[in-house]
Amino acid sequence: MAMSAPSSARPAPVRSRPRLRSFASAPPEHMADGVWLLRGGLLRTMNVYLVEEPDGRGVTVFDAGEKGMAGAIAAAAQSFGGITRVVLGHGDTDHRGSAPALRAYADVLCHPDAVAQAEGSGGRDYWQMDELPLDVRLLHGFSHRFVWDGGPVHVDETVSAGERIAGFEVVELPGHAPGLIGLWREHDRVALVSDCFYMNDMHGRPQPPAAPLDAYNLDTAEARRSIAKLAALRPAVVLPGHLGPLTGPDVVEQLEAAAT
Ligand SMILES: [Zn+2]
């Protein structure tokens, strides 16, 4: 099905009530110097990161979670001086969810290879949903459409490997999705990696780091190579798109195991 490009017109600011915001997301949790995690969604598995700008003026939002989180993200960002930009780790429905609403405040950015999905089907045009068990397929189908996805979002700008965002360097980790990017900060070895790997299974239950589920991947072999590439950076704190964080003395070993 052909889709027309999403409108570049700015939406009105998000209107939300505090009680609804606390349904949509837990309060920000401190993950690393200047990095905060908003755990959203019913099961608190949808991760959105606020990364403080080095000049102290506002935060970059990394990944946009599900659409119901928009009010919680905007309110949390306000206490840091507001949103400077929204960077999508990739264009899947559950990562662009609140991005259309957050364009009221700031530009939306992603990798050039993620633009077609962010502005289009949100991953649906290559997912193999028929590989999933029926109960998961039905639940995910409903969630993608009615709970997670905020719909196509206009991408204002693109970012590629080596560019700097809020004191981090952009790294390319494709495979799960086209143009999947992470943010890497060498001095304290912190990585924000979107869905480079999963710490929850298809039912949302916690699991050790693993390659993303085949049914949702563009290219699983490439996804594994990206996990190996992440392991080779020897990160100390890894902040994924769902659950986490991954920390401790065996982070690299756990990533190497997930890559094989
Ligand atoms: Zn995801």
Side-chain angles (χ1 to χ4, degrees):
M1 191 175 65
M3 281 195 207
S4 55
S7 169
S8 61
R10 298 278 169 182
V14 182
R15 297 167 63 103
S16 70
R17 284 177 301 193
R19 211 164 66 86
L20 288 179
R21 292 201 295 268
S22 62
F23 270 121
S25 169
E29 272 174 63
H30 190 241
M31 289 289 120
D33 185 25
V35 181
W36 301 81
L37 166 60
L38 288 174
R39 295 184 195 271
L42 201 58
L43 302 175
R44 298 290 190 250
T45 57
M46 298 290 175
N47 293 350
V48 171
Y49 296 94
L50 305 181
V51 185
E52 294 177 42
E53 299 292 347
D55 66 4
R57 295 186 191 175
V59 285
T60 287
V61 175
F62 183 71
D63 268 342
E66 62 180 54
K67 63 182 171 187
M69 294 176 71
I73 296 167
Q78 204 51 49
S79 59
F80 294 99
I83 300 171
T84 53
R85 60 199 146 184
V86 178
V87 178
L88 303 181
H90 63 295
D92 281 0
T93 57
D94 58 322
H95 294 257
R96 72 178 181 183
S98 72
L102 295 178
R103 274 195 78 249
Y105 308 97
D107 285 351
V108 171
L109 291 72
C110 69
H111 188 276
D113 296 345
V115 173
Q117 292 305 330
E119 294 195 338
S121 84
R124 289 183 183 86
D125 57 8
Y126 59 83
W127 292 343
Q128 307 283 333
M129 299 286 277
D130 53 352
E131 289 180 12
L132 299 171
L134 183 63
D135 60 331
V136 174
R137 196 192 316 166
L138 292 174
L139 180 64
H140 281 198
F142 177 86
S143 300
H144 281 297
R145 179 158 177 205
F146 296 108
V147 184
W148 297 339
D149 195 9
V153 61
H154 175 77
V155 175
D156 298 283
E157 214 181 307
T158 60
V159 283
S160 302
E163 290 186 56
R164 310 230 21 123
I165 287 178
F168 283 74
E169 181 191 332
V170 174
V171 290
E172 295 175 354
L173 303 166
H176 168 63
L180 192 149
I181 54 169
L183 300 179
W184 166 240
R185 190 167 64 190
E186 190 170 9
H187 78 82
D188 55 357
R189 317 205 80 74
V190 175
L192 285 68
V193 301
S194 199
D195 285 350
C196 177
F197 62 86
Y198 270 83
M199 294 183 77
N200 55 327
D201 68 12
M202 69 175 87
H203 303 279
R205 293 178 298 232
Q207 67 176 15
L213 209 61
D214 212 24
Y216 280 120
N217 295 340
L218 182 69
D219 182 337
T220 300
E222 190 179 34
R224 291 186 189 280
R225 287 196 294 276
S226 287
I227 300 170
K229 179 179 174 180
L230 175 63
L233 292 173
R234 311 199 77 76
V237 176
V238 188
L239 303 170
H242 306 278
L243 297 183
L246 179 61
T247 59
D250 58 349
V251 167
V252 175
E253 287 73 15
Q254 289 201 61
L255 291 174
E256 284 169 348
T260 53

